[in-house]
Amino acid sequence: MKSAPFEHHEPDTVDEAVSLLESLDDPTILAGGQSLVPMLRFRLANPDVVVDINGIDSLDYLREEDGSLRLGALARHADVEDSDLIDGEYGSFADAAPLVADPQIRNRGTVVGSVAQADPKGDWGSILLAHEGEVIATGPDGDRAIPADEFFLLPYDTTLGEQELITEIRVPAPGPNEGSAYHKLKRKTGDYAMAGVGARLVFDDGVIESAGIGMTAVDITNARATDAEEHLEGERPSPDLFAKAGELAAEQSNPESDEHGGADYKERMVDVLAQRALSDAAERAGTVTVERRVTQ
Amino acid sequence: MTDEREITLTVNGTEHTIEVEPRRLLVHAIREDLDMTGTHIGCDTGNCGACTVLKDGEPIKSCLMFAAQADGAEILTVEGMEDLPEADDIHPLQEGFREEHGLQCGYCTPGMLMAGKALLDEHPDPDEETIRDAISGNLCRCTGYQNIVRSIEYAADELENRAAADGGAVATDGTADAEPAASPEGGHATPEFGGDADTFCGREDCCGGPDGADPFDRDALLDDAGDGDGTGDADGRDDADAGADATDRGDTK
């Protein structure tokens, strides 16, 4: 099926894009298009105007700067997958990138677009939450940083303003005692998650100073497992500690039964995936190796 | 609203200037405006990969991109494969699919070939897992993928052999193929399907050699299928790790 007709604008700069968003009626932003194009074709989205940001070269970056990892709005999933910086320091990003869809889609789809789409089954939202990252929105009044916690509202709905463009997402660069990981259960290669858990642990002298856990596909948005995070902080890692954290994350999740599994099963998977992600994060932090209580 | 704009696409080395509406998909521009119907449309959802083409060397799904977004790009479609420098008569990948029975109905094949081409450009000597990853965005409902994987392996071997024949260049990791050298005709067939005497590689159970099956002797093949000799490919059916259920929408972020 064809999309309904639309006006296609291709700004070259962020300023130009923002003034288009300001002046046009009901514009939709097109980045990688791997979700939007099918939505247009099935007429689930019928915008009069599409603002295509692929020509804004200044948004095509993935770099560390001023203590943060920054991904511009045109950083593709494949850019994350191929990045040495990611590979060396950002375990959760390195885990997640190759699990997003398939190679063709990773070549086009963007991380920021995935976050903006706010599909609760999207992987990057959980990672952004686990890392306590920020979404940088640029609008007529300039930039504002939206904490990941305050970004996701409902499926496909966020606190981004109508005249704002997400230009970047950023997460704090890890210190030497930090590790992160992402585990995802999917029915088969290329699928959305049935459940996913991202974890980030920061240690101070063997004690967990700070913990972040984000969950995929088990609530109406990507969600943080705050009870589990609180339980971990101030403690030394152990199989029992991680098992309890997995249990708390499962309790805080709110999955729906569907053709791939019942809610009980998915809760149990949150428990398992949380333990695996925490165990990997602890190991990558270089502090400890925690035996997993849950077998693979 | 229906304003058309002029775009330039370089497809298989030939520059084309066409007028398209903004909503025109790249795949429709290729098939309908340029009359190159080798690139297929399978699922309309971005799942099946039949519409895979290389845009500036990268595999993308041409049904998930508007033609206007490819303005100025270099596109490679299946029609261009036989004209590539590494192609002889046909491209080694196409040869691989023929030799290893990498297709049945053939619908997914153009996309598989493009995914395979992108893979071999980057990894000339891929292991099986890498091949399966590379075609994980391409669905095949016929083959069970086993023969597609073998077809791509065949092409990798063939390209390596040709490189070696062209002046001793071997794979960049320096490991030459430990298997017996292929015949000048191009490789040996798998033990499952023997080649004919012209391409006999000299190995037992291979290429029509001693105990090798004649690929065209259907009765012999059927006889063999039950004896655990591996003639049949029944184990291939369920190995759909690289595949998917066509009714499901995959992750199309």
Side-chain angles (χ1 to χ4, degrees):
Chain A
M1 190 163 168
K2 280 184 184 169
S3 311
F6 55 79
E7 265 177 53
H8 187 222
H9 292 267
E10 294 173 287
D12 294 322
T13 64
V14 171
D15 285 350
E16 210 182 311
V18 170
S19 55
L20 283 168
L21 296 178
E22 205 177 6
S23 62
L24 297 167
D25 193 29
D26 188 28
T28 289
I29 298 162
L30 172 63
Q34 305 299 285
S35 292
L36 181 61
V37 174
M39 287 172 71
L40 290 167
R41 295 176 58 194
F42 287 104
R43 307 208 178 185
L44 297 169
N46 293 294
D48 291 333
V49 179
V50 168
V51 177
D52 182 346
I53 62 169
N54 283 281
I56 307 178
D57 294 339
S58 66
L59 294 178
D60 189 3
Y61 59 87
L62 183 167
R63 60 175 177 247
E64 259 179 358
E65 194 181 303
D66 297 334
S68 293
L69 171 69
R70 294 154 190 262
L71 275 72
L74 291 180
R76 319 270 167 184
H77 306 298
D79 295 333
V80 179
E81 199 179 359
D82 297 341
S83 160
D84 291 338
L85 170 66
I86 294 291
D87 203 32
E89 292 187 55
Y90 295 88
S92 58
F93 285 79
D95 289 342
L99 299 176
V100 175
D102 57 53
Q104 290 96 320
I105 286 178
R106 293 198 292 272
N107 280 337
R108 288 292 299 164
T110 65
V111 177
V112 167
S114 169
V115 170
Q117 176 77 356
D119 187 322
K121 292 183 171 180
D123 300 301
W124 295 116
S126 298
I127 287 168
L128 199 61
L129 287 167
H131 283 263
E132 300 183 62
E134 289 175 329
V135 171
I136 308 303
T138 305
D141 303 325
D143 290 353
R144 70 180 176 120
I146 310 169
D149 266 350
E150 297 168 20
F151 184 70
F152 301 105
L153 278 180
L154 288 167
Y156 315 108
D157 194 11
T158 69
T159 54
L160 188 72
E162 282 182 7
Q163 298 176 358
E164 287 179 321
L165 169 73
I166 304 179
T167 44
E168 178 179 291
I169 58 164
R170 61 172 79 140
V171 302
N177 303 314
E178 178 172 335
S180 66
Y182 185 70
H183 278 255
K184 172 176 176 176
L185 175 71
K186 49 196 172 32
R187 195 172 61 87
K188 56 167 178 53
T189 302
D191 267 3
Y192 279 110
M194 285 169 66
V197 176
R200 182 185 60 104
L201 294 172
V202 185
F203 288 88
D204 181 20
D205 201 19
V207 172
I208 297 169
E209 185 181 62
S210 159
I213 298 177
M215 301 184 288
T216 308
V218 290
D219 211 326
I220 57 165
T221 64
N222 294 106
R224 267 179 88 165
T226 49
D227 294 346
E229 291 172 1
E230 281 167 27
H231 182 75
L232 290 163
E233 284 167 2
E235 302 290 334
R236 285 180 183 276
S238 69
D240 284 346
L241 183 75
F242 287 174
K244 182 64 184 171
E247 204 176 296
L248 289 168
E251 275 172 28
Q252 207 172 356
S253 72
N254 191 23
E256 283 187 4
S257 297
D258 62 18
E259 69 272 31
H260 303 315
D264 289 353
Y265 168 69
K266 291 184 183 179
E267 279 184 23
R268 173 73 182 128
M269 290 303 105
V270 169
D271 180 355
V272 171
L273 297 171
Q275 291 187 59
R276 290 181 185 172
L278 286 166
S279 170
D280 283 356
E283 199 173 325
R284 288 171 182 173
T287 320
V288 282
T289 300
V290 178
E291 290 294 320
R292 289 174 192 172
R293 278 184 37 175
V294 181
T295 51
Q296 293 277 8
Chain B
M1 287 276 265
T2 54
D3 286 346
E4 298 207 339
R5 55 172 284 198
E6 194 176 272
I7 62 165
T8 302
L9 301 176
T10 304
V11 184
N12 305 327
T14 307
E15 197 176 291
H16 302 270
T17 300
I18 53 173
E19 301 258 319
V20 292
E21 271 190 274
R23 61 174 169 167
R24 189 85 163 151
L25 291 168
L26 178 58
V27 69
H28 289 138
I30 292 170
R31 287 176 55 85
E32 294 167 21
D33 297 333
L34 302 181
D35 269 341
M36 286 187 241
T37 52
T39 302
H40 290 172
I41 302 173
C43 68
D44 258 342
T45 61
N47 256 325
C48 79
C51 66
T52 300
V53 299
L54 303 196
K55 173 184 169 279
D56 297 324
E58 277 191 337
I60 56 119
K61 293 182 176 176
S62 61
C63 79
L64 292 183
M65 185 170 185
F66 295 113
Q69 295 186 286
D71 188 12
E74 296 258 355
I75 307 287
L76 179 73
T77 71
V78 67
E79 287 93 342
M81 289 198 83
E82 65 185 34
D83 297 326
L84 292 172
E86 67 265 31
D88 204 348
D89 180 14
I90 55 175
H91 192 276
L93 272 161
Q94 293 171 311
E95 199 178 301
F97 275 69
R98 186 179 67 188
E99 294 299 317
E100 299 291 340
H101 303 260
L103 64 146
Q104 288 177 29
C105 85
Y107 203 86
C108 72
T109 311
M112 288 289 180
L113 288 167
M114 299 320 292
K117 161 76 180 152
L119 167 71
L120 296 181
D121 283 349
E122 203 161 327
H123 302 282
D125 185 21
D127 58 20
E128 179 176 341
E129 192 187 341
T130 309
I131 295 174
R132 286 184 181 270
D133 272 352
I135 58 168
S136 65
N138 297 73
L139 299 185
C140 172
R141 308 317 317 170
C142 303
T143 63
Y145 301 100
Q146 305 285 54
N147 289 356
I148 293 175
V149 172
R150 284 189 199 122
S151 303
I152 295 172
E153 283 170 345
Y154 176 103
D157 288 348
E158 178 67 10
L159 286 165
E160 187 182 328
N161 289 337
R162 286 193 198 173
D166 281 353
V170 291
T172 45
D173 62 5
T175 55
D177 194 348
E179 295 292 312
S183 74
E185 292 296 320
H188 53 80
T190 62
E192 287 86 348
F193 291 98
D196 60 31
D198 291 344
T199 58
F200 175 47
C201 69
R203 203 204 214 179
E204 291 264 311
D205 295 329
C206 192
C207 303
D211 294 331
D214 177 347
F216 303 108
D217 185 347
R218 188 164 173 274
D219 290 338
L221 288 171
L222 288 173
D223 282 348
D224 273 358
D227 66 8
D229 189 24
T231 310
D233 196 15
D235 66 333
R237 275 282 161 185
D238 295 327
D239 188 354
D241 184 46
D245 184 333
T247 60
D248 245 37
R249 275 208 58 202
D251 186 343
T252 52
K253 276 291 166 312

